[in-house]
Amino acid sequence: MYNGKKIKELLDERGQNNSALLSALGLDPKKNSLKTVINGNPTANRLEQVADFFGVSIDTLFIRESMTDLLPTSTELSSIQALKHEVAKRDEFLRLKDEIIREKEERIKLLEALNSVYIKQLSGN
């Protein structure tokens, strides 16, 4: 992603002023400001001119994430492990809950069957 702040950083690092860059880009420093160069979506040609002015690669004007930047930190890994542990505990709880419900339903059916037999015996059938 284009990083307009990098242009200002490069100017500061090199002790150069905005006017020198604007003049090198063919812009009148009295009619233009650095904001016109930094803000927005500059063309590849304009970025190439800026990079040439500073003597840097055009990549310098971009923020790039490496694959290692996308990997989780050790703190994030610890959090992920803790979440996985909590999910495993929840899953075990839900499995036990389902088992208890099934067992309860089987006992109800058994009690209903026993009740039916008892009622038949009381009625003499």
Side-chain angles (χ1 to χ4, degrees):
M1 177 180 3
Y2 166 67
N3 180 13
K5 293 179 184 177
K6 187 65 178 175
I7 295 171
K8 185 66 177 146
E9 289 173 15
L10 288 168
L11 284 170
D12 292 342
E13 285 173 13
R14 289 172 166 75
Q16 295 175 313
N17 62 30
N18 301 354
S19 297
L21 174 59
L22 292 170
S23 294
L25 297 175
L27 301 171
D28 183 353
K30 294 181 182 181
K31 295 181 182 176
N32 296 283
S33 71
L34 186 60
K35 281 187 173 186
T36 60
V37 176
I38 293 176
N39 294 341
N41 191 14
T43 64
N45 185 42
R46 175 70 71 193
L47 290 176
E48 186 176 24
Q49 291 173 329
V50 171
D52 288 346
F53 173 79
F54 290 114
V56 297
S57 163
I58 199 168
D59 284 353
T60 305
L61 306 176
F62 290 83
I63 298 172
R64 302 197 69 184
E65 290 182 353
S66 69
M67 290 306 287
T68 56
D69 293 339
L70 301 175
L71 295 174
T73 64
S74 60
T75 303
E76 292 169 330
L77 283 174
S78 295
S79 296
I80 291 169
Q81 292 293 33
L83 285 172
K84 284 181 178 180
H85 179 70
E86 288 300 314
V87 167
K89 282 177 24 180
R90 185 209 61 201
D91 289 347
E92 178 63 11
F93 172 80
L94 292 174
R95 187 191 64 75
L96 289 171
K97 179 189 73 105
D98 289 343
E99 188 177 314
I100 290 169
I101 289 171
R102 275 192 303 278
E103 197 173 298
K104 175 185 161 196
E105 289 170 350
E106 288 175 16
R107 287 182 182 189
I108 289 171
K109 287 177 185 176
L110 180 61
L111 288 171
E112 286 173 344
L114 285 172
N115 190 42
S116 176
V117 168
Y118 178 71
I119 289 173
K120 286 182 182 178
Q121 286 180 346
L122 284 177
S123 63
N125 293 329

